[in-house]
Amino acid sequence: RLQPLQDSLPTSTFEAVQETIFEDLGQSVKAIFSEFDPKPLASASIGQAHVARLRHNGQKVCVKIEHPGVAELSAIDLNNIDYLIQVMTKLHDDAPDVTEIVGEMRRASIEEVDFRLEGQNAEVASAAIRSSGLNVGCPRPLMEFSSQRVLTMGFIEGWKVTEVEKLPAGADREKLASDIVEAWAMLVFEAGLVHGDPHPGNIFMELCDGPDGVRPVLLDWGIVKKVSPQQRLTLARWMLACLARDRFLYLSAMLEIGVSVTEAVNDEFLDEMMFGGLLNLRDTIPADAMQQFHDQLLKQRENKKEKKKQQEAEGKKAAKMIEKIPGWVHFFIRALQLLQDVCSTLEVTVPVARIVLKYASACLGINNTAMKGLSSGYGAMELAVQKKLHDLQARGLLLGAQVAVLNTSGTWRCNVGAGQLRHGGESVKAGEFEEQSLLPLMDAGSGVLLLCLLAAISGKTITGKEVNLDSPVAKLWPDFARAGKGSFKLRDVLRQKGGLARPFRNKTTCKTMCSEKQMEEMIAAAPRDDGTAHDASSTVPCVLGTALAAMLRRATGHRTAAEALKSVLRPLGLEDEIVYSGPKHRMAHLGRKLLENVTISTVWELLEERMRRGSSEEAKCPDWLTWQELRQKQPWCADAMLANHSSLLDGSGCATGLGLRASACALCRLLVECPVSSQILEQSLAPPGRLHVSSLQEWHELGRCLEVAAGWKLFRFKGADQEVVGYGQSDAATGSTFVRLPNAGVAVLLTCVDPEAQKTASLELLEVVSDQLGLRPCWPDDVPKVPDRAPEVSGSEGGTEVELRRSLARLEAQVARLTDALLETDGRGTSDVPCIAGKWKSKQVEGIEELLEALHVPTMARAMAKKLSKKLEIEMREDNISIHSTSSVAGRQIEETTTSFTVGLPFSGQFMRSSYQGQAAWGPGSETGRSLTVDKELQISGHQVRLVEQFHLESGGQLAVKTIVKGKGLIDVAIQSSAELQRLSKNLDPATWTLKKEVQVSGMQLWRGGRVMHPPVTAISQLAALPLPVMLQINYADMESTILFDREGALPETRLKAQKVANLKQANTVCCSCCTSKIQLRHVVASVLHAIGRAVEGEK
């Protein structure tokens, strides 16, 4: 309905046009132009455009003439807006000051009616686009035929971007839309021009030479904001903070941009702001698909309005969060929103975040920093670690890392750093890791504090007290005896039995978490709650660390934990290497993998999370919370990115439990040069215990290590002749781990807090180090038999009900373990029931297009994959499997295959018209049954391909079939000639450093998708200029796709029941009446426990 406002407004008369040209250019229309169409081509609010031809050279031009009196009318409108803003501010004292925005509107309006400025902007933009190499047009102004009210430009023979029916057949709409967004982002971060009005009326399409045949053209450079290099840096940091979901970096970037906030600003408000930022950077989707999403957003906004009205009716006035918003930022945000609409009009998906991130990262100087060996020599271990770091970086699992290994003899085996110090610093560019870089230890910091406390109590304390692990905590920390905790000993607290299952007040905030005094007082006042013995949730690491720091400073007689820490570390020369805060250039930040694609599913998840949190806030909450409850109610308090809080970085605050920072080599020295007496150390390591977890998620957060001692995790390794046990600590968020082995100290520190990185990167690095030491980690193989995720606690439940649900969850897990143990004691056990059998219909497909591209499937076929649907019928008789598959596209069947095989035996078949050899294996059992893995090897387009299919049931009953095309990993490519190097450089994507198509180099056929990892260069020109011969390293990562299936029809109950009966008979085969009695008793106990749990749940 608003489209006519773009180019179809009322026009000025031709007489007025002639008069304006004569007054401004000093010549008549006929004197300048041989042709001039009196009928306007288009008319907007400022002026109208006419088609003409220059008399002196015959060039076809577009002449833009300002409407008479428009400058005066614009000034009146702005005065009216000023008045309305003043009235609004008086009526709504919680509204932010928007005078700067109005001021920017006034500046833009004044500049918009001066066409000389528009011409200058267009010249700068045109030159920048040409030098960038982007296939985007920009009309060049002819300044000799232009004035304040007349602008003459080269004519664009094109049509509006919304007239998609005029596009040539086969035109790549997605590329056209991407080029528009990329040109806009390039101009912002490289040329310092923000086109503030890229609506559909200001974007045309024109035919052009070249393979594309058509290109977009950016018009109307009247509403433009010029941003300084410093403003570009702050914008880039703001974008990165959004995409890293880092609320603390986001607040810092907001303040640097010029947003003024009040003291009332809270973390929930920051989350709302970040969510808005992600909305602006989301992947574009077709216009019709946006309606449902906008409806949901509108519904949520209406709910918030109703909630605000209700609070005001109750006398609760909403606090003012923002004082002032800078006007220039408004142009940037508005332009992003308009670009979203343009791309939606073209009915395509454009990764806006990835495109903006490309230029924002370049602005901040962020790149894939080369691996940097920090020691003098490169031994076998160091080279192996560097290779693994390259691999992790290529897989997107590495932000920053340090790996160090120190022999007890004092010889360094490894000391390597890699990656970035942070996602762009405050007003500085991102730095590289160095030997002195200090990485956040988070949960692992409790191990450092434990060593220092043990050292402090190895002799008499500063007050002359003799303290050991069996002394009451109150002997060191009298306040801890409050609320029924007086009987607990040091050993109890270290062994998760310190009565601290609920240590957090329900009003805990980030400021609380960053205050040493407030955290100490809160833990001392926490009521005794024993939870469950050895339950992993009984004492969380940050609480344990806070308690250790409180005892350490009292044992050493210092006022702060930082001073106490220095006093213990000073004799080792480590007082400046393990700290709570240090010089800014050494402080590494934690970070998340940047969201390069803010998909609509990601936005939906964030939206639903906000809705759940809103309902949780309305519910009654107990006075004291567990870690899980705090994480659900106040997620910002449990956010690992708290390590980036400004108060922790500048030292004005101190999170004693999770705020320690250190380098990997400093930790190795602390482990090897241990200041603790052997007697106290041995007491802390014996006897070992085992933590109980309620989910595999919790197990992963514990570094997959459940064996513990007094404050330590015990890491088991398999050696050539015997088992080796090391002690140390690990962090749940990053996977950072340090371990003291009999002959060495090992430290692996990471700064990426993504779950995948936490699960994968640390363990793979430890495996590389262990292999060089002749060891193999054993603890990850000890998988507990628990559900994938713990049951969520509803926000509407009170404290008693919350605890009841937690108790029931623990009871069910214990019953499951007891049942398994009883049947194993019988000596026979039960066989798994293959629950993936049955009929299935596909529901959701993820990653299929990327996988098909890796398999060299034609583009047209890949496009059809969006409409792919599959049906499976799986029959299983013990290890004999038959999988009948039917594939359809848009309702038409295109493929039907049946594959039969026996698990464990080789078989052959057909895939994509290629023969393959395969073998299947059962995966580990879980609550949903066994998983099945089918491994296939085949030839596609002359390339050897390994294809892995994994079948397993999700917790919701859906069948997940993950297809993985295994990458080759890192391969070495020797380049001998400049022609080969140029051929390779020509086929590289400069944004991602990946091959755009196959290329023949040095007798090797390189697939597309490979990413150049070494040598470290930042531009294609640098690569082409490398001295020959040169050895390149190209990485081929795994590609995967997952299809989710819903079950059709009922589970094949008859066969399952028959198998269960057969298993039960086999399990109950006994040798005597005594054994029969024992088995019956065990089954009765398990049944009774299970029935009690169900009965209690039913009463609720």
Side-chain angles (χ1 to χ4, degrees), residues 539-553:
T539 304
V540 296
C542 71
V543 174
L544 175 61
T546 303
L548 287 169
M551 291 186 281
L552 174 63
R553 74 179 186 84

Side-chain angles (χ1 to χ4, degrees), residues 678-700:
S678 57
Q679 180 181 3
I680 290 287
L681 184 61
E682 288 173 5
Q683 289 178 9
S684 71
L685 294 172
R690 183 176 175 85
L691 292 176
H692 296 158
V693 293
S694 58
S695 67
L696 290 179
Q697 178 189 12
E698 194 174 5
W699 176 62
H700 280 293

Side-chain angles (χ1 to χ4, degrees), residues 473-475 477-488 498-500 502 505 517-530 554 624:
V473 175
K475 190 172 183 179
W477 184 11
D479 282 353
F480 187 81
R482 294 163 58 187
K485 303 192 297 293
S487 62
F488 288 113
L500 295 174
R502 290 181 175 276
R505 287 192 175 97
K517 181 180 179 181
Q518 290 183 42
M519 283 296 289
E520 276 193 19
E521 290 178 349
M522 184 169 67
I523 292 171
R528 173 172 175 165
D529 189 327
D530 296 343
R554 287 167 173 82
W624 293 87

Side-chain angles (χ1 to χ4, degrees), residues 764-785:
E764 291 189 12
L765 286 166
L766 283 169
E767 286 174 342
V768 170
V769 170
S770 302
D771 183 62
Q772 294 292 322
L773 295 173
L775 302 172
R776 184 183 69 81
C778 297
W779 71 90
D781 301 331
D782 187 12
V783 184
K785 295 182 178 180

Side-chain angles (χ1 to χ4, degrees), residues 1024-1100:
L1026 289 173
L1028 299 172
V1030 63
M1031 181 69 74
L1032 301 182
Q1033 285 188 327
I1034 298 180
N1035 184 70
Y1036 285 93
D1038 293 350
M1039 301 290 290
E1040 64 180 51
S1041 167
T1042 300
I1043 303 180
L1044 295 178
F1045 293 82
D1046 286 335
R1047 188 182 290 279
E1048 285 192 317
L1051 190 72
E1053 288 288 344
T1054 305
R1055 183 168 56 79
L1056 294 181
K1057 288 180 179 178
Q1059 184 169 350
K1060 289 180 180 178
V1061 171
N1063 290 338
L1064 185 60
K1065 289 180 179 178
Q1066 181 183 2
N1068 283 321
T1069 303
V1070 294
C1071 59
C1072 63
S1073 59
C1074 180
C1075 292
T1076 303
S1077 301
K1078 289 179 180 178
I1079 291 173
Q1080 290 174 345
L1081 177 61
R1082 290 166 183 160
H1083 282 295
V1084 167
V1085 171
S1087 299
V1088 169
L1089 285 172
H1090 192 72
I1092 290 173
R1094 292 304 180 196
V1096 173
E1097 191 175 35
E1099 288 175 6
K1100 290 168 58 183

Side-chain angles (χ1 to χ4, degrees), residues 571-875:
L572 302 177
L574 296 175
E575 69 273 19
D576 294 325
E577 308 305 316
I578 303 176
V579 297
Y580 281 108
S581 65
K584 182 177 179 179
H585 69 277
R586 296 183 61 190
M587 302 281 277
H589 289 209
L590 294 185
R592 292 188 175 92
K593 183 179 178 182
L594 297 175
L595 284 175
E596 294 188 0
N597 291 86
V598 185
T599 63
I600 194 64
S601 60
T602 301
V603 177
W604 271 114
E605 289 172 6
L606 292 171
L607 186 62
E608 289 168 357
E609 180 184 341
R610 292 164 73 233
M611 294 175 69
R612 285 196 301 270
R613 193 184 304 162
S615 62
S616 174
E617 289 170 357
E618 296 172 3
K620 182 182 178 182
C621 187
D623 294 334
W624 293 87
L625 308 177
T626 65
W627 175 251
Q628 287 79 5
E629 291 163 355
L630 179 73
R631 188 159 56 179
Q632 182 175 335
K633 184 178 184 294
Q634 305 271 44
W636 34 86
C637 292
D639 188 353
M641 308 297 267
L642 186 67
N644 300 341
H645 197 285
S646 58
S647 67
L648 301 186
L649 295 173
D650 62 23
S652 60
C654 184
T656 54
L658 51 77
L660 274 178
R661 279 174 160 81
S663 63
C665 56
L667 289 179
C668 287
R669 284 188 54 199
L670 180 64
L671 290 170
V672 172
E673 303 170 20
C674 180
V676 181
S677 71
S678 57
Q679 180 181 3
I680 290 287
L681 184 61
E682 288 173 5
Q683 289 178 9
S684 71
L685 294 172
R690 183 176 175 85
L691 292 176
H692 296 158
V693 293
S694 58
S695 67
L696 290 179
Q697 178 189 12
E698 194 174 5
W699 176 62
H700 280 293
E701 290 176 354
L702 291 169
R704 288 177 271 194
C705 181
L706 299 181
E707 279 198 82
V708 294
W712 299 115
K713 289 182 179 178
L714 302 180
F715 300 94
R716 292 191 177 274
F717 296 82
K718 182 71 174 178
D721 303 319
Q722 60 182 355
E723 195 173 65
V724 175
V725 180
Y727 62 89
Q729 265 297 348
S730 64
D731 173 49
T734 62
S736 293
T737 304
F738 64 88
V739 185
R740 176 62 158 91
L741 295 170
N743 298 318
V746 177
V748 174
L749 301 185
L750 302 164
T751 60
C752 186
V753 299
D754 284 319
E756 186 181 359
Q758 179 263 333
K759 293 178 184 178
T760 305
S762 176
L763 181 58
E764 291 189 12
L765 286 166
L766 283 169
E767 286 174 342
V768 170
V769 170
S770 302
D771 183 62
Q772 294 292 322
L773 295 173
L775 302 172
R776 184 183 69 81
C778 297
W779 71 90
D781 301 331
D782 187 12
V783 184
K785 295 182 178 180
V786 290
D788 289 344
R789 301 181 68 86
E792 290 190 10
V793 179
S794 169
S796 63
E797 296 168 332
T800 305
E801 194 166 358
V802 169
E803 181 57 33
L804 183 57
R805 282 191 176 274
R806 290 180 66 245
S807 300
L808 281 173
R810 288 197 296 268
L811 177 62
E812 289 190 7
Q814 290 167 358
V815 169
R817 289 195 296 270
L818 176 61
T819 303
D820 289 342
L822 293 175
L823 294 174
E824 287 172 6
T825 306
D826 293 343
R828 292 150 183 91
T830 61
S831 57
D832 293 310
V833 178
C835 298
I836 63 174
K839 295 181 179 181
W840 304 89
K841 183 178 180 180
S842 63
K843 177 184 179 183
Q844 182 180 346
V845 181
E846 296 177 355
I848 187 68
E849 292 178 77
E850 291 83 356
L851 183 137
L852 292 179
E853 182 178 356
L855 293 175
H856 290 239
V857 174
T859 304
M860 184 175 294
R862 295 203 305 270
M864 293 171 62
K866 296 180 180 179
K867 300 180 180 179
L868 174 71
S869 65
K870 289 179 69 73
K871 288 188 177 182
L872 295 179
E873 184 172 354
I874 304 176
E875 295 185 359

Side-chain angles (χ1 to χ4, degrees), residues 20-26 64-66 113-119 142-152:
T20 300
I21 291 176
F22 184 79
E23 289 177 356
D24 278 33
L25 301 183
K64 184 176 176 182
I65 299 97
E66 188 176 288
V113 296
D114 187 345
F115 288 171
R116 293 169 299 185
L117 296 175
E118 180 176 348
L142 303 172
M143 299 305 292
E144 62 271 32
F145 301 109
S146 300
S147 65
Q148 182 173 345
R149 297 185 297 167
V150 179
L151 179 61
T152 304

